[in-house]
Amino acid sequence: MAKNQRYFPVRDNAGRLMANFVGVSNNAATDMNVVREGNQRVLRARLYDAAFFWKEDQQKTLDEMAGELKSITYQEQLGSVYDKCRG
């Protein structure tokens, strides 16, 4: 959020995340509502995607996911990505 989109989360006085963000732009827009709505739409889509993939990843254990790395070649003479992860 902060790195790719230049949006920064807002926290309350107790440090808990709020459902707000601050966006940074160097464009002088004529209608800031259009900019705000566009930024909200982009962030909503990214958060939806993140939630989807988080739920999908929760369906398998780390061991199951690691086993899938066996089928991905890291470098022909060096073996699979699984081999590289195992050290």
Side-chain angles (χ1 to χ4, degrees):
M1 186 169 124
K3 181 180 177 185
N4 295 320
Q5 300 300 133
R6 293 183 288 175
Y7 304 150
F8 300 92
V10 178
R11 296 180 181 273
D12 65 15
N13 289 338
R16 294 181 301 251
L17 282 175
M18 298 175 65
N20 300 304
F21 68 93
V22 175
V24 178
S25 174
N26 59 358
N27 295 327
T30 55
D31 188 352
M32 291 307 292
N33 285 328
V34 171
V35 173
R36 178 181 46 79
E37 289 169 4
N39 286 330
Q40 288 174 336
R41 189 172 48 251
V42 168
L43 187 55
R44 188 176 301 114
R46 287 186 179 253
L47 292 173
Y48 176 84
D49 288 348
F52 171 81
F53 287 111
W54 176 259
K55 288 176 187 173
E56 285 294 304
D57 286 349
Q58 300 276 317
Q59 310 257 336
K60 296 180 183 177
T61 66
L62 287 176
D63 287 335
E64 289 171 324
M65 285 192 251
E68 293 174 6
L69 298 176
K70 293 176 183 177
S71 64
I72 303 171
T73 302
Y74 172 70
Q75 207 278 339
E76 198 169 314
Q77 289 80 19
L78 298 177
S80 68
V81 175
Y82 178 84
D83 296 331
K84 181 166 175 46
C85 291
R86 302 273 306 166

